[in-house]
Amino acid sequence: MALYIQKFGGTSVGSLERIQNVARLIERTYREGHQLVVVLSAMSGETDRLMKLAKTLSIDPDDRELDVLLSSGERVTIALMAMALKSLGIKAQSFTGRQVGIVTDSTHTKARVSRVDTDRVLGALRDGIIPIVAGFQGINAASDVTTLGRGGSDLTAVVLAAALKADTCFIYTDVDGVYTADPNIVPGARRLDKISYEEMLELASLGAKVLQSRSVELAAKYQVPVEVRSSFQEGPGTCVVKEDVDMEQVLVSGVTGDRNQAKVTVVGVPDHPGIAATLFCSIADAAINVDMIIQNVSQDSLTDISFTVPRADLPRGMGLVRDIAKSVEARTVEVNEGIAKVSLVGVGMRSHSGVAARMFQTLSREGINIMMISTSEIKISCVVEEKYMELAVRALHQEFELEVPLERRKS
């Protein structure tokens, strides 16, 4: 008898009919003799609806109250799912993040998990009950509700899989796995049978929406086997596993495009030691993630510092950046929201040269200008104008021969 974690995203539980369909899927696995812990997201669109309500009342809602509000969406789905399973003759019980023992730090809206007290879940499993857990949420040391950031239900599932030493963590969504590119942009994108933790982490952090990046990071740390599957069709998905020799033979595993980016440039910064540290330490203290950073060559003892941040963090971050710029006597702060990040990912880059050159040549042929470049062992990212993002993704996908052959697409 195996212990499985099954996580279902918002589209999978987006209506009563879909909740009933998922209940039957859970029932099928349960009747096969396996133990299950189920993690649910809020119904699709619910978190956005709640956020809209908050921002109708306040331009900058209080983070603590926002967590209380946003965590309510998952409470609805877990209760409904428990009812659906009970109607099928299966013992099930709903648990909030607090009840399931997920303890976090106090960084509201982006909390990090500190520990999991598994006693109550293990007790339910011993009694033959399927725990139905609210994803995306926990509590801090002061017993305040916290949330784990966008896609946080993935993290809940992996955290529980690690704590309970589950055999597999299944992430059910509206796609049947991880693709070489977004199929909505590239019709010929291929589903990958398997992908390494490291590649998946890069893809997730670079705009692929299948898994939350923090969940992949934790899965890699604790070697949690993860499989991405569709809740709408049967069949295998994509396994996220430890890197093996076969993976190194593939030059590029995927191409991503991310519109959720903004470029900030602090112009005319005095070129003195400690200025950059002052700027980026303050941004880090505000829990804002900075990705690419470029500092120009100093002229007349002044330089420009450019960096990218998630667009969602821009309103909160700009006041902070402008205050710092003023304090260090920089000339001005410029913002460009009309950008996107296009990236290639593949562990094969470690042992193959020329990938960057081919990427730059491909973008040049399409008349796409590169604003910023960032690289790692298995990733190359370029910032381009947002209007060229889809063209860039399609061109790179074709250049690195990731397409499904046309005859296979027709069949």
Side-chain angles (χ1 to χ4, degrees), residues 158 161-162 166-167 197 216-226 240-243:
V158 173
D167 294 276
Y197 290 118
V216 182
E217 184 179 6
L218 193 135
K221 180 178 180 180
Y222 292 101
Q223 296 294 290
V224 175
V226 175
V240 185
V241 295
K242 190 175 179 181
E243 181 183 330

Side-chain angles (χ1 to χ4, degrees), residues 16 25 41 48 55 84 127 158-159 166 169 176 193 275 290 297 314 326 353 391 411:
L16 289 178
L25 192 157
S41 298
D48 289 338
K55 295 211 167 179
D127 293 338
V158 173
V159 162
C169 179
D176 61 344
D193 293 327
I275 297 292
V290 172
V297 176
L314 196 59
K326 185 176 180 181
S353 60
L391 172 62
S411 62

Side-chain angles (χ1 to χ4, degrees), residues 45-123:
E46 180 64 9
T47 302
D48 289 338
R49 185 185 73 85
L50 293 171
M51 180 66 81
K52 187 176 179 181
L53 289 176
K55 295 211 167 179
T56 301
L57 295 175
S58 171
I59 296 174
D60 185 20
D62 178 80
D63 285 345
R64 180 186 181 278
E65 305 311 326
L66 203 54
D67 275 355
V68 174
L69 176 67
L70 297 183
S71 64
S72 66
E74 284 72 18
R75 295 171 69 101
V76 173
T77 51
I78 60 172
L80 292 173
M81 184 61 72
M83 294 174 190
L85 287 169
K86 287 176 181 178
S87 72
L88 296 173
I90 296 173
K91 291 196 291 184
Q93 189 172 346
S94 62
F95 293 88
T96 64
R98 174 195 297 269
Q99 292 168 329
V100 86
I102 294 178
V103 182
T104 74
D105 63 15
S106 295
T107 308
H108 286 288
T109 74
K110 292 181 181 178
R112 303 190 73 86
V113 178
S114 305
R115 69 177 193 276
V116 181
D117 299 324
T118 58
D119 290 350
R120 196 161 182 189
V121 171
L122 289 172

Side-chain angles (χ1 to χ4, degrees), residues 3 29 45 55 67 111 175 229 251 337:
L3 171 59
T29 308
K55 295 211 167 179
D67 275 355
V175 294
R229 286 188 175 185
L251 186 59
E337 295 186 60

